[in-house]
Amino acid sequence: METAREESARGSDDDAAQEDTTSVADVSVEVATVDATLNKLCRRYNGRRRRAKKIKKKNPILDLQNLAILITVVVFVIVVIMWSLLWVFIFRRESNSGVYFAGMFRVANVEFIPEYRHADSSEFVSMANRIQHVITSVYRTSSVSRLYKQTVISDLSNNNQGGVLVHFWMIFVVPHLKTPSVCEDCVSAILKDSVHMSLQNRSSVGFLQGLPVDIDSILVNVALRSDYSSTAVGSQCVDKLYAGVPDVSIPLNVFSSWGGLSCYIKLTSAPGSVIRLTVKSFRIDPSDCVYDALTVYDSLLPMRGMILYRVCESVSAPISLVSTSNVMLLSFRLTQGNKIFRGHFQALMEEQCMNTIALPAGPGDAGVITSPFFPSLLPRQCSCTWMFQMPSGALGVALRFQNYMLKLKDLQNCEHGWWKINEIIYCGNYIDYSTVFRIPAQNPEVVFRCSSRSADQSFNATYSSYNTSQPCPEGHFLCSTGLCVEKFRRCDGLDDCQDESDEMFCSKPPKICGGLSPLHPLYICNGETDCSSGKDEINCTQETSCSGVSYQCGNGACILKKNAKCDGLHDCYDRSDEKDCACGNPTASKRVSDSAATQQRIVGGINAMEGEWPWQVSMHFSGQMYCGASVLSDEWLLSAAHCFSKERLADPRMWMAHLGMLNQGSAKHVAEIRRFVVHEYYNARNFDYDIALVQLKKAWPSSLEKYIQPICLPAPSQTFTEGHRCWVTGWGYRSEQDKILPTVLQKAEVSIISQSECKRSYGAVSPRMLCAGVPSGEQDACRGDSGGPLSCQAHSGGRWFLTGVVSWGSGCGRPNFPGVYTRVAKFVDWIQRHIQNL
């Protein structure tokens, strides 16, 4: 900087000298005396020098000012450029972030006219403009007025309650940081509050800017932009069909030409009717509704709160479902390929489900009651009332359900049917066995209400009379399920009551190995020598009557041997017991030393060895270990339903399966998930039917069979006596208080606990559960082990069977509170049905 300043000063002196030279030349033309001329030249020269000095003193300041101006200009230009870039790439994008809502409400006291069904009619346009103006006025004066963009009226339909049902879209332009200000509940509340202010005389109809609106009919759901654009007026993938005549079937066929698109079919019917849709066949790739799917809505817009039914896999047997009003929307999401839908729909007049039934005094079934629109699936809303009349006060009504049971309502809502029987409220639940519900009253009134969020399974029940003082015939035992079984079946080792109530709290049967009395069925051919003579394990391949404790061969014949499957012996005449036995035979590598094994304990567990449990799988959600699973084949895994039942956990795209892994992060194969098959009867409240299948997108390579192997599925008759030793494995926590997961696969040895003892610990334990642990609780599964295997060998050195799936328990490792596992033997048929059909 000093050099620059010196150069500047030198430049100023040169300029001054040039000016002096010019002045001397000019003087020669003046007429004056020499002295005067000299004086004049001196004055002029001195004046120039003083000005030059002043200029030299001012230049640094001027330079600083010029530099400041230059910097300011440059900064200004940069700011303008940056602001423009921010506007283009961030703020403008933020401001163009549309948030879409689909909504509906009923306009009361307005007559529906046929022209409203056509969006291009002048009548529709006029009514739509009026409603649009009203909604816009409400939101323009609300707290979200700056974010509100527009309302689009999609459809006007007639309504079984009278008036006009309005289906509309609302669009907000919202920066991401302000998205919470237009949450679903907030947007809905603005509309409801506007109506609520004008409610009078306990009526549900108020006025929205002068428009009579039923406040109970208002529903607003967040939607996707793709749904809005796909259903917009003029879309090439929206069809509208109308059923004006009841009971006339209108065909519906969709072919692969629709592939790669989201297409919609809007169905409406005459007032006072509902729509029954029948799906005859549907050919798609199963994928948990991620790629191919049919979603049926109880409205004319794709609203989450109005989903009636979803089809995520191919349909071969017909399915029918019924709407709650006279509108229905079919949403097809089809990827490329040979995809075909065949079905039809029809209008049905609303049923008045109310019957008076007179029962005879004699024994035997008197008739059948069914759910509304049986055998169609139950709609989201329905009601039935049955009034029974008995000929005598000593008689009551017995209802025998095939796959349903009633229990007293607790603090939870009824999810599968609400029942009121003689002023007592019950909740219904679906199961896979029969129950009998007895009503000890002469003229009971039975009221049923649908209570599911979507279409539910149908039900039927045979009704008969019974003697209230003696529900079961002489010599019979009354089960907790309401069934009556012969008393001699009590404590015979067979679940005759279908809930094990006939086998609970039985004393252990004596081992009578000599004499004429037969040995108890529990000891016969169970794989253990209970009699010193060995008579209990003789003639085990002898055919016997089929029951829950006999092994059924492929030809349908049953043998006494309970654990005949894959034991290395041909017990069945057709040798079917040794088929499909390439499973449960690990080739564990070098065993770790005991000192190393005890360094990382997980509720009494020790480190596993490489290849010791080749069927163990680690299921990762969003990159984090979340649950376990077991390998059943090169494409299928088995896990727990509660791992995937919640909505946020149901997307298979968020999951990865890590196979052939000993240390976390060292999997031999990592697989994407195609879909989950959660048991249809899974009960999230008590973990009943806590089982799920997991299908991989691609099979794991056979070259990894040293590290990855399936575990054997048990036979339905498989039985292990109390105290049988098994192993539970997983990467779960070491204790309840632990917050660090182990990196090495852990294993813990546990013992099978009798069902009676299990019920003493927990009370509500279903026949589809089993307990395993140790009395001290020091060896147990814990959080993170869910879905993993309980592996058992029928005999030392034999193959390993998947006896249980880690399900639930009271804490981890607590004394007298063993782990509770899903009993896999109860689900073998369910597993095979799904695996073989897909």
Side-chain angles (χ1 to χ4, degrees):
M1 292 299 291
E2 287 296 327
T3 304
R5 284 198 295 269
E6 289 172 0
E7 289 178 352
S8 176
R10 281 197 300 268
S12 299
D13 290 338
D14 292 342
D15 292 340
Q18 186 177 358
E19 290 182 5
D20 293 342
T21 304
T22 305
S23 300
V24 172
D26 291 340
V27 170
S28 64
V29 297
E30 292 183 6
V31 180
T33 64
V34 174
D35 293 335
T37 301
L38 289 175
N39 291 333
K40 186 175 181 181
L41 286 172
C42 288
R43 287 196 300 271
R44 290 180 64 184
Y45 179 74
N46 291 333
R48 297 285 179 91
R49 291 194 63 181
R50 284 194 297 271
R51 284 198 298 272
K53 288 181 180 180
K54 288 181 181 179
I55 292 173
K56 282 191 286 185
K57 291 180 181 179
K58 291 180 180 178
N59 271 345
I61 299 176
L62 291 175
D63 287 343
L64 288 175
Q65 290 176 343
N66 292 337
L67 182 62
I69 293 172
L70 180 61
I71 293 173
T72 303
V73 170
V74 171
V75 170
F76 178 76
V77 172
I78 292 174
V79 168
V80 170
I81 293 173
M82 291 299 295
W83 180 261
S84 301
L85 292 174
L86 288 172
W87 173 255
V88 171
F89 292 105
I90 299 179
F91 295 121
R92 190 176 68 178
R93 185 177 298 173
E94 292 272 1
S95 64
N96 288 337
S97 297
V99 179
Y100 295 79
F101 294 88
M104 59 187 293
F105 59 74
R106 183 177 72 92
V107 178
N109 308 327
V110 174
E111 182 181 359
F112 181 87
I113 57 177
E115 288 76 10
Y116 287 161
R117 286 198 294 269
H118 307 287
D120 55 353
S121 68
S122 59
E123 291 81 2
F124 176 93
V125 173
S126 176
M127 176 59 76
N129 286 340
R130 178 189 173 193
I131 298 171
Q132 180 177 325
H133 175 74
V134 168
I135 298 176
T136 298
S137 298
V138 169
Y139 286 93
R140 288 295 186 199
T141 57
S142 69
S143 59
V144 294
S145 59
R146 292 185 178 181
L147 307 176
Y148 173 81
K149 182 179 180 182
Q150 65 174 333
T151 294
V152 177
I153 307 302
S154 172
D155 296 275
L156 302 175
S157 65
N158 48 18
N159 188 271
N160 292 344
Q161 298 178 355
V164 176
L165 191 62
V166 181
H167 300 261
F168 61 91
W169 292 98
M170 278 194 295
I171 307 169
F172 292 79
V173 178
V174 186
H176 292 307
L177 296 177
K178 294 186 178 180
T179 300
S181 64
V182 288
C183 64
E184 183 175 278
D185 291 338
C186 309
V187 172
S188 179
I190 290 172
L191 205 57
K192 289 182 178 180
D193 288 347
S194 298
V195 177
H196 187 267
M197 298 296 293
S198 60
L199 292 179
Q200 295 179 355
N201 301 325
R202 297 184 179 179
S203 170
S204 64
V205 177
F207 288 90
L208 192 67
Q209 302 282 334
L211 193 69
V213 173
D214 182 358
I215 192 171
D216 293 337
S217 68
I218 296 176
L219 179 64
V220 177
N221 281 166
V222 172
L224 299 175
R225 181 177 182 177
S226 57
D227 287 334
Y228 169 72
S229 58
S230 298
T231 58
V233 177
S235 172
Q236 299 299 310
C237 216
V238 176
D239 200 0
K240 292 184 178 182
L241 298 174
Y242 177 71
V245 181
D247 301 320
V248 175
S249 295
I250 301 174
L252 289 172
N253 296 302
V254 178
F255 301 97
S256 55
S257 60
W258 281 25
L261 297 173
S262 295
C263 295
Y264 300 84
I265 299 179
K266 296 181 177 182
L267 308 179
T268 57
S269 63
S273 68
V274 294
I275 298 173
R276 174 152 61 193
L277 171 71
T278 300
V279 181
K280 292 182 179 178
S281 64
F282 192 28
R283 185 188 304 164
I284 57 173
D285 296 328
S287 63
D288 276 359
C289 288
V290 173
Y291 302 108
D292 290 351
L294 164 63
T295 306
V296 182
Y297 295 90
D298 215 9
S299 63
L300 291 179
L301 287 182
M303 303 175 65
R304 185 188 69 256
M306 300 297 287
I307 293 178
L308 188 61
Y309 195 68
R310 303 188 80 184
V311 182
C312 305
E313 60 187 35
S314 294
V315 174
S316 54
I319 300 172
S320 64
L321 51 147
V322 180
S323 64
T324 58
S325 65
N326 59 332
V327 297
M328 184 181 283
L329 174 69
L330 311 186
S331 171
F332 291 92
R333 184 188 295 118
L334 302 175
T335 54
Q336 296 294 340
N338 187 20
K339 313 296 170 61
I340 297 176
F341 170 88
R342 297 185 186 277
H344 63 264
F345 80 102
Q346 60 190 139
L348 299 178
M349 299 310 295
E350 288 188 298
E351 291 184 0
Q352 294 296 323
C353 190
M354 182 176 293
N355 298 291
T356 300
I357 302 172
L359 272 73
D365 295 338
V368 179
I369 62 171
T370 64
S371 55
F373 304 106
F374 185 87
S376 298
L377 299 178
L378 282 168
R380 296 169 59 250
Q381 299 174 14
C382 68
S383 173
C384 267
T385 301
W386 299 280
M387 293 170 287
F388 293 94
Q389 296 179 349
M390 310 302 298
S392 169
L395 299 177
V397 179
L399 301 175
R400 183 184 181 111
F401 294 94
Q402 297 303 312
N403 63 333
Y404 198 68
M405 67 181 300
L406 303 184
K407 282 191 174 182
L408 279 170
K409 185 182 183 305
D410 53 19
L411 297 177
Q412 303 291 329
N413 293 328
C414 295
E415 295 180 351
H416 301 288
W418 178 94
W419 297 74
K420 184 172 75 170
I421 301 174
N422 288 343
E423 304 304 320
I424 301 175
I425 309 300
Y426 300 86
C427 289
N429 278 298
Y430 291 95
I431 49 176
D432 59 357
Y433 55 86
S434 299
T435 63
V436 176
F437 185 83
R438 289 181 169 82
I439 309 171
Q442 183 177 3
N443 298 313
E445 180 180 84
V446 178
V447 179
F448 168 75
R449 299 280 188 276
C450 293
S451 61
S452 176
R453 296 179 181 178
S454 57
D456 220 336
Q457 296 183 58
S458 59
F459 65 81
N460 65 81
T462 58
Y463 55 84
S464 60
S465 59
Y466 78 100
N467 190 333
T468 56
S469 61
Q470 188 178 349
C472 290
E474 189 70 30
H476 283 68
F477 170 74
L478 179 61
C479 304
S480 299
T481 55
L483 301 176
C484 296
V485 300
E486 293 87 346
K487 285 186 177 179
F488 68 83
R489 295 187 179 180
R490 178 106 162 84
C491 300
D492 65 351
L494 295 175
D495 184 14
D496 301 296
C497 287
Q498 300 186 34
D499 68 345
E500 297 181 332
S501 56
D502 59 322
E503 299 298 315
M504 286 296 100
F505 310 114
C506 297
S507 58
K508 195 170 184 177
K511 297 179 183 178
I512 306 175
C513 295
L516 300 177
S517 299
L519 191 64
H520 194 279
L522 285 177
Y523 301 119
I524 296 176
C525 300
N526 64 356
E528 299 179 8
T529 303
D530 297 293
C531 295
S532 58
S533 62
K535 62 175 291 187
D536 56 303
E537 297 298 314
I538 298 176
N539 298 326
C540 291
T541 58
Q542 176 184 331
E543 290 192 8
T544 183
S545 58
C546 293
S547 68
V549 292
S550 59
Y551 181 84
Q552 188 170 26
C553 302
N555 58 9
C558 291
I559 59 176
L560 289 171
K561 195 171 185 178
K562 297 176 176 63
N563 300 332
K565 183 176 180 180
C566 298
D567 65 348
L569 301 174
H570 293 292
D571 302 301
C572 292
Y573 181 77
D574 62 358
R575 299 193 171 192
S576 58
D577 56 309
E578 295 303 313
K579 290 181 179 179
D580 302 321
C581 291
C583 56
N585 191 22
T587 54
S589 61
K590 182 179 176 182
R591 186 179 299 274
V592 286
S593 65
D594 292 339
S595 59
T598 57
Q599 288 176 5
Q600 291 193 25
R601 303 182 63 83
I602 170 171
V603 195
I606 59 176
N607 290 350
M609 296 180 293
E610 186 79 57
E612 186 178 7
W613 311 101
W615 46 83
Q616 177 76 51
V617 180
S618 181
M619 299 294 297
H620 288 224
F621 178 77
S622 294
Q624 300 295 321
M625 197 281 289
Y626 194 84
C627 273
S630 303
V631 177
L632 298 184
S633 69
D634 60 356
E635 187 183 1
W636 290 94
L637 315 176
L638 192 71
S639 188
H642 75 260
C643 290
F644 322 108
S645 60
K646 294 181 180 179
E647 185 175 353
R648 72 179 185 89
L649 299 172
D651 188 347
R653 293 171 295 185
M654 302 298 293
W655 289 86
M656 299 292 285
H658 293 240
L659 289 78
M661 183 170 70
L662 177 65
N663 299 298
Q664 283 288 338
S666 64
K668 301 298 187 296
H669 182 72
V670 179
E672 293 182 321
I673 308 302
R674 180 181 298 278
R675 68 188 187 114
F676 304 115
V677 182
V678 175
H679 199 285
E680 57 271 24
Y681 294 156
Y682 169 64
N683 189 327
R685 296 178 184 176
N686 59 9
F687 296 100
D688 202 6
Y689 299 93
D690 189 14
I691 195 167
L693 284 163
V694 181
Q695 187 179 20
L696 305 180
K697 273 192 175 182
K698 292 182 180 179
W700 47 269
S702 58
S703 59
L704 295 175
E705 60 184 8
K706 178 181 178 181
Y707 305 100
I708 306 172
Q709 257 191 54
I711 187 171
C712 296
L713 278 175
S717 62
Q718 187 188 68
T719 180
F720 291 120
T721 58
E722 180 182 355
H724 192 94
R725 311 290 290 189
C726 301
W727 290 82
V728 59
T729 50
W731 288 272
Y733 287 99
R734 300 176 178 88
S735 67
E736 283 187 53
Q737 296 77 27
D738 204 355
K739 295 183 179 180
I740 301 177
L741 293 167
T743 58
V744 182
L745 177 64
Q746 301 289 289
K747 63 179 181 179
E749 191 176 28
V750 292
S751 298
I752 300 295
I753 294 173
S754 72
Q755 205 72 345
S756 296
E757 191 63 34
C758 188
K759 289 200 176 221
R760 286 190 184 98
S761 297
Y762 289 110
V765 176
S766 83
R768 292 155 295 280
M769 304 174 188
L770 65 88
C771 284
V774 293
S776 65
E778 293 178 355
Q779 289 156 247
D780 194 10
C782 200
R783 289 176 298 124
D785 295 319
S786 291
L790 177 69
S791 308
C792 304
Q793 289 176 300
H795 56 85
S796 179
R799 296 185 182 275
W800 291 89
F801 289 89
L802 182 58
T803 303
V805 173
V806 179
S807 180
W808 62 281
S810 179
C812 303
R814 297 182 183 180
N816 301 315
F817 284 101
V820 185
Y821 300 80
T822 303
R823 191 191 296 264
V824 177
K826 292 283 187 179
F827 297 97
V828 174
D829 292 339
W830 178 84
I831 293 169
Q832 297 290 4
R833 185 170 66 250
H834 281 280
I835 290 179
Q836 293 172 2
N837 291 343
L838 300 169

